[in-house]
Amino acid sequence: MYYIRYKTFGVDEEWQEIPGGYRHRKDATEMFKKLVTRTKEDGTRCMNAQLCIGKGRDRRYVLTV
């Protein structure tokens, strides 16, 4: 399973996770790209995101932006 974690860019808060997860890497990377490419009105980045694989404590981070 693939999981996506996100938080607001430039704010010290805990990571939140999109519930459910994704079975296919293609679906997970598409959602990851959507979160990363979101911008505010002034053109600055809106979110930080992490793409993870695995479950529980065995989770590994594939991409972090």
Side-chain angles (χ1 to χ4, degrees), residues 25-36:
R25 184 180 178 113
K26 182 179 177 184
D27 298 335
T29 53
E30 286 177 11
M31 184 55 143
F32 177 80
K33 288 177 184 178
K34 285 181 187 177
L35 283 174
V36 171

Side-chain angles (χ1 to χ4, degrees):
M1 293 289 286
Y2 291 91
Y3 298 93
I4 297 175
R5 298 174 65 194
Y6 64 94
K7 69 178 182 176
T8 306
F9 180 73
V11 178
D12 289 333
E13 61 182 23
E14 292 189 28
W15 291 92
Q16 298 177 4
E17 188 173 288
I18 295 177
Y22 298 90
R23 288 192 180 271
H24 304 286
R25 184 180 178 113
K26 182 179 177 184
D27 298 335
T29 53
E30 286 177 11
M31 184 55 143
F32 177 80
K33 288 177 184 178
K34 285 181 187 177
L35 283 174
V36 171
T37 57
R38 287 179 62 189
T39 58
K40 296 178 186 174
E41 292 177 5
D42 62 353
T44 59
R45 192 167 69 188
C46 204
M47 298 283 209
N48 285 345
Q50 290 181 335
L51 177 63
C52 311
I53 188 171
K55 195 168 190 174
R57 286 194 269 163
D58 296 332
R59 197 170 286 189
R60 296 182 311 243
Y61 300 107
V62 179
L63 296 172
T64 301
V65 175

